[in-house]
């Protein structure tokens, strides 16, 4: 295998400009799944992947998902389903990634145009989706192309499933995965997802757990239209005042969730689990670097990792309908919608969590004795996932990391959510591995999201090497 990998790596090294151009084209498509007005761009991104995969010789289809639940005027973007290779003497790996991105506006505080890939002198490639998740998806395409150009026999068959609604709770995907588990995905021997990040900036990791995500809206409505606060302030009840009081009852400054019935569902820490944290390369300095501040809740590494991986968290995200621009607009918003989410962990149950949230919010609102109207509901929910990393899929990836980066990986869990990971595991019965490309400082979901050229290029090598080690793993 060594000479094959050497020539694959050489081909990747000589394709840096071409691979960068591929990422530039993808970043230029603002495929924001949360923004209804951007839906044509999300579809355009699916078409882009379709064309790229076709020209690499894959068989590809765009699978429609129907109307968006709750927004029946809006078609969900298609899932890109592709197959590359059909040799039943080889293993088959099912790849998942997402081609949609989080919203981004230059005015949010970006230094560069978010949809114009901009590379600085250190090789940092700034652009929305660079690391989450366009860079990693294109990494797989780069692997196929580099094999073709170097004339290397592809070591496995690939099945690909790239969705366009991940950043909005993967609407419609669960049904598709269940439906195709014994059809399009039937040949899969294992699943690989590249859609998360290293713990720091130097050491690669393999990830075997994710938190789930329940995302809530709290609507408070009062007057029929926004009002002048000079003319009406002091004489009308204000929805924003009630909303702020309800939202402030959910969590405290140190992240402690105040909703009864949430922490009670969390499994207790075992000694084995405690011991795991001791071996992980993670420092508070590195964490402060990813935060860009020293506002961490805890002073020590273990508590910080536990807070991110194995305990739930509640985050307030924003208020729709509230004044948020610069300046001093003196308005009373007539209807405001607070948005918050809870990252869930073993053994939290989605329905039980919803029940606790609704009860708490309704009780807090009732105590205000407000004449405004309350509505609280879950926008989307997704289950947590924890798997065993003792599987040939993880062994192959660990060997690939040693080959590309010269170090043994950390085995990590992750605080983010990829709702479909657990669906793939349950529906196909196959092992699921998370093999990240980017680092903790990439700023996914934030302003100035970036992917380092080093991570894109070495990451492409890693994805390719992983497939060769998969082929070489003994049958069990
Ligand atoms: C980890 C992954 N790259 C990611 O960012 N996932 C999103 C998915 C999401 C959005 N709503 C619910 N889940 C995340 O963790 O926020
Ligand atoms: Zn992602
Ligand atoms: Zn994301």
């Amino acid at each position: 295998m060594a000479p094959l990998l050497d020539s694959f790596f050489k081909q990747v090294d000589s394709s840096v400009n071409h691979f960068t151009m591929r990422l530039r084209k993808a970043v230029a498509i603002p495929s924001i799944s949360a923004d209804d007005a951007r839906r044509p761009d999300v579809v355009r991104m699916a078409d882009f992947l379709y064309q790229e995969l076709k020209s690499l010789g894959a068989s590809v289809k765009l699978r429609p998902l129907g109307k968006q639940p709750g927004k029946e005027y809006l078609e969900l973007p298609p899932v890109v389903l592709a197959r590359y290779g059909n040799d039943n003497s080889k293993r088959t790996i099912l790849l998942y990634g997402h081609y949609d991105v989080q919203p981004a506006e230059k005015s949010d505080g970006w230094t560069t145009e978010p949809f114009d890939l901009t590379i600085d002198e250190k090789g940092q490639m700034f652009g929305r989706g660079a690391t989450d998740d366009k860079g990693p998806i294109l990494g797989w395409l780069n692997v196929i192309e580099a094999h073709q150009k170097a004339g290397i026999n592809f070591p496995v068959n690939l099945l690909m499933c790239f969705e366009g609604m991940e950043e909005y709770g993967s609407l419609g995907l669960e049904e598709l995965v269940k439906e195709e588990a014994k059809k399009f995905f039937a040949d899969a021997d294992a699943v690989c997802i590249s859609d998360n990040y290293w713990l720091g900036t130097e050491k690669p990791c393999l990830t075997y757990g994710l938190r789930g995500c329940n995302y809530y809206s709290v609507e408070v409505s009062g007057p029929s239209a926004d009002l002048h606060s000079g003319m009406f302030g002091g004489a009308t009840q204000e929805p924003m005042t009630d909303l702020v009081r309800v939202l402030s009852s959910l969590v405290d400054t140190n992240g402690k969730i105040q909703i009864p019935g949430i922490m009670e569902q969390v499994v207790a820490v075992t000694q084995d689990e405690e011991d795991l944290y001791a071996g992980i390369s993670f420092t508070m300095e590195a964490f402060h670097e990813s935060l860009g501040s020293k506002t961490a809740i805890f002073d020590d590494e273990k508590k910080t990792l536990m807070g991110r991986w194995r305990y739930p968290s509640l985050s307030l995200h924003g208020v729709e309908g509230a004044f948020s621009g610069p300046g001093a607009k003196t308005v009373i918003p007539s209807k405001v919608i607070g948005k918050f989410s809870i990252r869930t962990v073993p053994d939290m149950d989605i329905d039980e969590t919803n029940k606790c949230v609704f009860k708490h919010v309704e009780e807090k609102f009732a105590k205000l004795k407000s004449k405004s109207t309350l509505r609280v509901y879950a926008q989307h929910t997704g289950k947590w996932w924890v798997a065993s990393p003792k599987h040939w899929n993880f062994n192959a990836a660990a060997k690939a990391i040693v080959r590309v980066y010269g170090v043994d990986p950390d085995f990590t869990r992750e605080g983010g959510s990829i709702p479909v990971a657990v669906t793939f595991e349950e529906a196909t019965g196959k092992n699921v591995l998370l093999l990240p490309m980017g680092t903790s400082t990439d700023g996914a979901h934030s302003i100035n999201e970036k992917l380092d050229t080093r991570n894109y290029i070495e990451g492409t090598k890693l994805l390719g090497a992983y497939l060769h080690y998969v082929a070489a793993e003994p049958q069990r």
Side-chain angles (χ1 to χ4, degrees):
M1 185 197 311
L4 283 186
L5 282 182
D6 285 341
S7 69
F8 164 61
F9 291 172
K10 216 166 130 206
Q11 183 62 48
V12 173
D13 283 328
S14 66
S15 309
V16 175
N17 290 341
H18 175 55
F19 292 165
T20 305
M21 184 53 74
R22 177 173 274 146
L23 182 58
R24 185 184 301 285
K25 286 183 192 159
V27 166
I29 304 173
S31 49
I32 304 166
S33 48
D35 183 348
D36 298 358
R38 290 291 187 191
R39 192 55 54 85
D41 291 312
V42 186
V43 174
R44 198 151 59 86
M45 186 61 208
D47 292 338
F48 171 80
L49 287 173
Y50 178 92
Q51 291 303 341
E52 291 282 302
L53 283 160
K54 269 262 168 221
S55 66
L56 291 171
S59 66
V60 202
K61 50 191 172 192
L62 294 181
R63 177 69 179 269
L65 286 179
K67 306 283 181 208
Q68 181 163 330
K71 291 187 179 177
E72 275 65 26
Y73 53 92
L74 206 56
E75 198 72 34
L76 286 167
V79 174
V80 181
L81 290 177
R83 173 182 266 280
Y84 185 71
N86 206 349
D87 177 345
N88 54 24
S89 69
K90 294 178 181 174
R91 280 195 166 123
T92 299
I93 297 297
L94 168 55
L95 309 175
Y96 161 85
H98 64 92
Y99 63 81
D100 62 320
V101 296
Q102 287 278 322
E105 305 270 355
K106 176 103 194 303
S107 58
D108 295 340
W110 283 70
T111 310
T112 59
E113 284 299 333
F115 296 103
D116 182 5
L117 193 77
T118 309
I119 309 174
D120 73 2
E121 65 292 344
K122 290 195 272 180
Q124 302 184 103
M125 302 188 286
F126 293 92
R128 177 55 92 222
T131 194
D132 183 14
D133 184 34
K134 290 180 176 176
I137 289 195
L138 298 185
W140 294 114
L141 274 56
N142 298 343
V143 167
I144 296 175
E145 187 169 15
H147 277 76
Q148 291 175 350
K149 287 198 171 148
I152 304 165
N153 189 13
F154 210 73
V156 297
N157 305 310
L158 294 179
L159 291 171
M160 287 163 263
C161 174
F162 298 142
E163 70 155 319
M165 282 304 277
E166 197 267 355
E167 300 291 12
Y168 201 80
S170 290
L171 301 184
L173 192 66
E174 186 176 340
E175 296 73 19
L176 179 140
V177 172
K178 286 180 179 162
E179 206 178 305
E180 295 297 339
K182 301 283 174 278
K183 297 182 204 160
F184 189 75
F185 303 141
D187 293 344
D189 293 302
V191 182
C192 182
I193 299 176
S194 187
D195 181 24
N196 64 311
Y197 317 96
W198 298 357
L199 253 188
T201 54
E202 293 308 315
K203 196 163 177 216
C205 64
L206 296 176
T207 305
Y208 61 93
L210 292 160
R211 293 195 287 188
C213 185
N214 287 10
Y215 199 106
Y216 299 99
S217 287
V218 184
E219 275 181 29
V220 183
S221 330
S224 63
D226 290 0
L227 299 171
H228 188 302
S229 65
M231 291 166 69
F232 295 95
T236 180
Q237 294 188 338
E238 302 193 14
M240 186 74 173
T241 309
D242 294 342
L243 179 68
V244 167
R245 295 187 70 178
V246 170
L247 293 181
S248 73
S249 75
L250 300 172
V251 65
D252 77 10
T253 304
N254 285 320
K256 219 161 169 251
I257 298 175
Q258 305 292 306
I259 304 172
I262 299 291
M263 295 310 288
E264 289 81 345
Q265 299 178 59
V266 177
V267 291
V269 186
T270 62
Q271 191 54 50
D272 281 355
E273 191 190 341
E274 293 257 6
D275 297 344
L276 272 178
Y277 290 91
I280 292 172
S281 332
F282 174 73
T283 62
M284 288 312 291
E285 287 72 39
F287 186 58
H288 288 144
E289 194 192 335
S290 354
L291 282 181
S293 72
K294 291 208 167 163
T295 52
I297 291 175
F298 304 107
D299 293 331
D300 77 272
E301 283 81 5
K302 190 161 104 182
K303 281 188 180 148
T304 301
L305 288 179
M306 285 188 163
R308 294 168 76 185
W309 295 353
R310 66 101 53 226
Y311 286 115
S313 59
L314 190 155
S315 303
L316 304 179
H317 302 298
V319 179
E320 192 178 326
F323 168 57
S324 66
K329 190 177 175 190
T330 53
V331 71
I332 297 174
S334 59
K335 174 179 167 183
V336 279
I337 312 174
K339 315 277 176 88
F340 71 95
S341 70
I342 300 183
R343 298 287 173 168
T344 59
V345 297
D347 275 332
M348 289 173 71
D349 176 70
I350 290 179
D351 293 335
E352 178 61 21
T353 301
N354 285 347
K355 225 166 77 188
C356 297
V357 168
F358 300 156
K359 183 167 183 279
H360 175 86
V361 168
E362 278 156 9
E363 280 176 8
K364 288 288 167 194
F365 184 75
K367 281 203 179 123
L368 300 177
K369 300 203 183 311
S370 171
K371 292 176 184 163
S372 294
T373 311
L374 172 86
R375 189 161 95 90
V376 53
Y377 54 94
Q379 278 199 44
H380 59 253
T381 57
K383 205 186 157 204
W384 47 265
W385 165 76
V386 182
S388 165
K390 295 188 185 353
H391 188 275
W392 57 257
N393 199 23
F394 278 82
N395 294 345
K399 287 175 190 165
I401 285 178
V402 173
R403 180 71 167 79
V404 174
Y405 287 102
V407 287
D408 286 318
D410 278 328
F411 285 80
T412 62
R413 280 163 67 172
E414 158 108 21
S417 311
I418 304 174
V420 80
V422 69
T423 316
F424 275 125
E425 187 180 86
E426 288 172 2
T428 65
K430 303 297 177 186
N431 180 265
V432 178
L433 153 78
L434 261 63
L435 179 54
M437 179 181 263
T439 75
S440 64
T441 55
D442 284 355
H445 293 206
S446 181
I447 56 166
N448 301 324
E449 174 181 347
K450 57 95 175 156
L451 177 64
D452 294 341
T453 303
R454 172 190 183 231
N455 283 69
Y456 186 45
I457 296 307
E458 300 306 299
T460 293
K461 292 179 191 170
L462 173 63
L463 300 182
Y466 154 71
L467 299 177
H468 281 269
Y469 284 104
V470 159
E473 277 293 304
Q475 296 285 348
R476 253 152 257 186

